[in-house]
Amino acid sequence: MSIIRWLVELALPKKYFYKLWSLYFILKRPRKSYSYVGEDLIIEEYFNHIDLKQGIYLDIGCYHPTHLSNTHLLHVAGWKGFAVDIDQHKLDSMQFWRK
C-alpha cells in the first residue's frame, strides 16, 4: 500500500492527493475493532508484513477479554499471551474466555 500511495502522491498535486486519499479511507471497507479507539487495528497494520497466525502478546492492564480489548484481535488471529492486572475478577474473566 505504501508504494501505491507514494506513486499517487508523486503523480498528483498535494491538494488532489489528500482529497483522493481521504475518499479512499471513506469508501474502504471498515474493519471490526475491539479496542477503545482502534489501537488493535494499528497493531494489525504495523504487523501487516508478517504472519499474524503466530505470536505472543503481553496485555498489561487487561480490562476485558473482548470489550475494549487491545489484544482480542491478536487472540482471534491465533496469538497466545499473558494478561496482567491488579483486579482478580478481570484475570478470572480472561482465564475463562481465553484459556
Side-chain angles (χ1 to χ4, degrees):
M1 178 54 85
S2 61
I3 294 173
I4 295 171
R5 178 187 169 153
W6 180 74
L7 289 173
V8 172
E9 193 171 0
L10 284 176
L12 294 175
K14 291 283 185 198
K15 68 177 186 177
Y16 297 119
F17 167 74
Y18 288 118
K19 288 179 182 178
L20 182 65
W21 200 249
S22 299
L23 182 62
Y24 167 75
F25 281 105
I26 290 170
L27 298 176
K28 184 178 166 184
R29 185 174 157 236
R31 296 181 289 172
K32 171 71 175 157
S33 174
Y34 299 97
S35 64
Y36 186 62
V37 290
E39 295 95 335
D40 54 350
L41 298 179
I42 295 170
I43 293 168
E44 182 185 47
E45 187 69 28
Y46 181 77
F47 288 115
N48 194 23
H49 62 282
I50 64 170
D51 184 18
L52 277 178
K53 299 292 183 221
Q54 58 186 353
I56 299 172
Y57 60 82
L58 176 62
D59 193 352
I60 299 176
C62 60
Y63 175 69
H64 189 269
T66 57
H67 181 66
L68 301 179
S69 174
N70 293 332
T71 57
H72 183 66
L73 193 64
L74 296 174
H75 175 74
V76 170
W79 286 42
K80 305 293 181 202
F82 300 96
V84 178
D85 202 286
I86 195 168
D87 294 327
Q88 186 61 41
H89 72 279
K90 292 178 184 175
L91 294 174
D92 293 341
S93 178
M94 293 292 279
Q95 179 68 28
F96 178 77
W97 289 106
R98 292 198 185 173
K99 305 296 181 209

